[in-house]
Amino acid sequence: MSDNKLYKTPDCSKFTGYKPCAPYKLCDECDDSRPVGKRILLIALEAQGAVLMTTPLLHAIKREHPDSCFTWLTMPASMPLLENNHLIDRLLPWNDENRMLLKEIEFDIVIALDKSAYAGAFVNSLKAGEKYGFGLSPEGVIIPLNEGALYNYKLGLNDKLKFKENTLTVVEMLHKIAELPYQGDRYILELKQEEIDHRKNWAKEAGISEDDIVIGFNTGCSQLFPNKKLRKEQQVTLIEMLYDYDPDMKIVLLGGREDTERNDRIYELCGKRPIKTPTTEGLRRGIAYVDLSDIVVSGDSLGMHIAVGLRKYVVVWFGLACAHEIELFGRGVKIMSGVSCEPCCKSTCDDLKCLDEISLQAIYDAVIKGVDVLKAEKAGQK
């Protein structure tokens, strides 16, 4: 509770000082106020897959601080991934207005997960009792703010540690940064009822029944790492292999706006047999279309993380990315290309052995294994 000479503000997370939290509701007569408790700010700006990987940390924060008001600051593009998240009290986009606002609030805890100079400079300007993660030194370089962040900090500076020695997943490292125990919590990605209804209606119109086992091909990836996707010809070959296994198999093509042309071409090369999902309706609709699938085939991309968040069975192939950093929570298979130079995390490469030598047979076998697993699960539910 804050007390100035003019007005004693209530200790309630719903109080804004602007208007009642509900029409005609008076604070003095309220019997369901929610104490603010600790004010916690989490800063996880980019990339979008990393934002989703951060959501398991919310469970640990709420266990440690059940009476708390939790604010998440992220880039506008990542906001849809966090909509409808029941553990976030206030979701704010990174902009001038919100940075000015947050500088005036006294937080108990700030957890800053981005290793960037501009994010670190902003973290330095915040008022907080405790800060975890990364800030900026007086010399203008990124620095760890607490003991728990030191391992992740060193990981970014030591390729041998990152690519050869580290065995921790990103989710485990995020808990380490926040100095909170990890208890195996999963991603939080929650569809709204309207989105669920849209997905069901769209599936019905597309000829997909609830008894079908649907395989989704997430065909694209981030433009920052364009080689995290298979070539169109490889994806066509995989789809044809699956149709050879079962000509009636339901296969959907997934992706965003940047994948429209790619999906159109794959659709044509596969004799117009796959089901194309819309690619230009925005991220939340894209998430709903991923939810059509029981199994998702993908590279290490946002589509993969969405599938993990929706608890799909995921078949993911790795070349340049670090497979050991990704947690599938026992719902999928990781396929490595097996080349000597993987992983490398390069955004460009003149010798894409990791693409050329990936085993399409191994991916196919993993998909068929997933089909068998899901058939057994559905039979057990009847």
Side-chain angles (χ1 to χ4, degrees), residues 161-199:
L161 176 62
K162 179 174 178 62
F163 296 139
K164 305 299 181 183
E165 297 175 354
N166 174 56
T167 60
L168 297 179
T169 66
V170 170
V171 175
E172 289 173 316
M173 285 188 279
L174 293 173
H175 284 73
K176 193 177 181 72
I177 291 169
E179 298 184 5
L180 293 170
Y182 177 50
Q183 296 185 16
D185 299 299
R186 302 180 63 114
Y187 294 12
I188 303 173
L189 182 58
E190 300 171 347
L191 289 171
K192 304 168 188 176
Q193 187 58 51
E194 177 273 330
E195 293 166 337
I196 294 172
D197 293 341
H198 175 81
R199 184 257 295 161

Side-chain angles (χ1 to χ4, degrees), residues 2 72 102 105 122 129 160 170-171 179 218 224 236 260 274-275 281 288 310-311 353:
S2 174
W72 188 317
L102 294 172
I105 298 174
F122 175 65
K160 183 181 179 182
V170 170
V171 175
E179 298 184 5
N218 176 50
L224 183 61
V236 169
T260 303
I275 300 169
E281 297 180 355
L310 294 172
R311 305 196 175 198
K353 291 187 292 185

Side-chain angles (χ1 to χ4, degrees), residues 67-80:
D67 296 321
S68 59
C69 184
F70 184 85
T71 300
W72 188 317
L73 179 68
T74 193
M75 287 295 183
S78 293
M79 293 278 288

Side-chain angles (χ1 to χ4, degrees), residues 75-110:
M75 287 295 183
S78 293
M79 293 278 288
L81 297 169
L82 302 173
E83 288 179 17
N84 207 38
N85 189 313
H86 67 285
L87 293 183
I88 299 176
D89 297 296
R90 183 164 55 170
L91 177 61
L92 298 176
W94 172 269
N95 58 34
D96 290 341
E97 291 82 0
N98 288 324
R99 288 193 293 273
M100 180 173 63
L101 166 69
L102 294 172
K103 285 181 181 180
E104 296 302 317
I105 298 174
E106 294 184 1
F107 289 98
D108 295 287
I109 298 170
V110 169

